[in-house]
Amino acid sequence: MNFITGSPKGSWQPIMTAKTNVQSYWLNWRVLLCAIWVLASIILSSLLIWKYERSRKPARNGGRETQQETQATLYEDETWRPCLKGIHPAWLMALRVVAFIVLLVLLSVNAAVDGGSIFYYYTQWTFTSITIYFGLGSLLSMYGCYQHHKKATGDKVDNVDGDAEQGMYVASELPQSSNASDQEKSLGAPEEILVRQHAGTWGYIFQIIFQINAGAVMLTDCVFWFIIVPFLTIKDYNLNFLIVNMHTINAVFLIGDTALNCLRFPWFRVGYFCLWTVTYVIFQWIVHACINLWWPYPFLDLSSSYAPLWYFAVALLHIPCYGIFALLMKLKHYVLSTRYPDSYQCVR
């Protein structure tokens, strides 16, 4: 078990710099500035989300609901369909199921070894979130494989009745014209056009969790490997198998899923990523205001005169972390659409 958990003698123990559950710790200029950064993040993120998310709601056109495609649009099949036509949805489902099982096992082992205190860390928050993502993704992929199987086997009853009921295929409507012969010449016989069904609530939740994880995983792993590890190695901190896996395998599975899936990546959902981190910070503040406890990350300590600078820097760090994943998405679009132009089916 030492191979998994490491030796407790080599573990890093944060130093208590000041009592956190006293009034003097919170009533000062440092906390005020940090609170301003947090409040500004909440306001800006909320405005960004409100501005763009409301555009996906159906608009009323007389007595009929219409919905134009916007940045917030997501179709149901995009939650389970692979990005290339030649890839069967079962491959994406298999990846998600394996990822869910592996992540759940690692999270369970971590909880069994260290107890519920693991959820005191942002890493475990993110790890839990990505586990939920792959769990929900597995269910959506299973549903997608079922739909794909029905279509492939040519189930007439299910395909015709089901598609008509769900609005998947409808006959094209002919425009009104006073000259019937002109209409026939210009349009010919009625054709069937594909009308894709917009994703439901769970589909949008799935996409939002995907984009939260995209930024959170980059933030977690980058801070750990480029800030915490170099600092902690000076203190003879020993990396064990579990810690290394929890800060690498999450990114491996997420990037693998990203390479295969058809999900969109609208930039405005960086707001959810910011709110995710803000929720964690507020949680830490509430805990420390009630209990005299060490901070899980040194840069969260409000007793330091550099605390406002640290909080501002971490807030700004969200932009490049989210941007890194956005660049990975653009790279995916460019490479696959160039190499497989006839098979690639993702929306850029």
Side-chain angles (χ1 to χ4, degrees):
M1 185 65 75
N2 283 342
F3 170 68
I4 297 177
T5 61
S7 172
K9 293 181 180 179
S11 299
W12 173 63
Q13 296 295 334
I15 300 173
M16 290 289 299
T17 56
K19 285 188 175 182
T20 62
N21 60 342
V22 294
Q23 196 175 44
S24 59
Y25 186 88
W26 298 97
L27 300 180
N28 55 70
W29 64 273
R30 298 184 305 274
V31 177
L32 177 61
L33 279 179
C34 291
I36 290 174
W37 303 148
V38 170
L39 182 60
S41 299
I42 293 174
I43 293 174
L44 291 176
S45 299
S46 300
L47 289 175
L48 195 63
I49 292 169
W50 178 78
K51 178 181 179 181
Y52 289 95
E53 285 289 13
R54 64 175 182 162
S55 64
R56 69 180 175 88
K57 294 181 179 180
R60 302 293 300 185
N61 185 9
R64 184 180 178 183
E65 285 189 351
T66 59
Q67 188 173 25
Q68 295 182 344
E69 189 165 311
T70 65
Q71 292 187 54
T73 299
L74 178 70
Y75 293 106
E76 184 182 65
D77 60 335
E78 290 177 331
T79 61
W80 55 263
R81 187 180 63 187
C83 58
L84 297 177
K85 295 178 182 178
I87 301 177
H88 195 280
W91 287 106
L92 180 57
M93 182 189 72
L95 171 66
R96 288 174 172 175
V97 171
V98 170
F100 173 67
I101 293 173
V102 172
L103 295 174
L104 184 62
V105 168
L106 284 174
L107 188 63
S108 300
V109 170
N110 194 11
V113 171
D114 297 323
S117 61
I118 63 171
F119 297 104
Y120 189 55
Y121 295 91
Y122 187 82
T123 297
Q124 273 68 26
W125 277 45
T126 301
F127 206 86
T128 302
S129 175
I130 199 170
T131 303
I132 293 172
Y133 167 78
F134 280 110
L136 180 57
S138 298
L139 294 177
L140 292 173
S141 286
M142 290 175 187
Y143 169 78
C145 286
Y146 170 70
Q147 294 295 324
H148 183 270
H149 175 72
K150 284 203 305 180
K151 182 178 179 182
T153 54
D155 190 335
K156 297 294 183 180
V157 176
D158 286 349
N159 280 344
V160 174
D161 293 344
D163 290 343
E165 183 180 344
Q166 296 178 11
M168 292 297 292
Y169 291 91
V170 296
S172 58
E173 294 183 2
L174 298 179
Q176 297 294 328
S177 173
S178 57
N179 192 332
S181 60
D182 291 343
Q183 179 175 312
E184 291 177 1
K185 289 179 182 178
S186 60
L187 296 176
E191 297 178 354
E192 279 194 347
I193 59 173
L194 176 64
V195 179
R196 299 169 67 191
Q197 184 176 356
H198 288 271
T201 301
W202 285 111
Y204 281 103
I205 290 175
F206 180 66
Q207 186 189 31
I208 290 169
I209 296 175
F210 169 65
Q211 295 197 250
I212 290 174
N213 287 327
V217 166
M218 292 294 109
L219 179 63
T220 300
D221 292 0
C222 287
V223 168
F224 181 80
W225 289 110
F226 298 114
I227 297 178
I228 295 180
V229 167
F231 172 75
L232 294 180
T233 50
I234 300 175
K235 301 293 184 181
D236 297 325
Y237 179 75
N238 294 328
L239 295 177
N240 57 58
F241 175 80
L242 192 58
I243 291 176
V244 170
N245 269 278
M246 296 197 77
H247 290 89
T248 53
I249 201 168
N250 54 0
V252 171
F253 278 136
L254 187 62
I255 292 174
D257 183 85
T258 302
L260 279 178
N261 71 33
C262 239
L263 289 174
R264 308 185 188 201
F265 200 82
W267 64 270
F268 73 88
R269 289 205 173 105
V270 67
Y272 289 105
F273 171 36
C274 293
L275 290 178
W276 172 258
T277 305
V278 164
T279 302
Y280 175 78
V281 171
I282 293 175
F283 165 76
Q284 288 293 334
W285 284 7
I286 293 173
V287 169
H288 283 81
C290 300
I291 307 171
N292 183 31
L293 197 63
W294 47 268
W295 292 91
Y297 304 104
F299 46 81
L300 290 178
D301 190 355
L302 294 165
S303 65
S304 171
S305 57
Y306 296 103
L309 193 59
W310 272 114
Y311 273 73
F312 185 69
V314 171
L316 290 181
L317 191 59
H318 282 64
I319 298 174
C321 286
Y322 196 79
I324 289 172
F325 214 92
L327 288 176
L328 288 176
M329 292 292 292
K330 287 186 177 293
L331 180 63
K332 166 194 169 181
H333 291 320
Y334 174 76
V335 172
L336 294 182
S337 63
T338 302
R339 291 180 62 89
Y340 309 100
D342 297 328
S343 180
Y344 192 61
Q345 50 188 353
C346 288
V347 177
R348 302 185 189 184

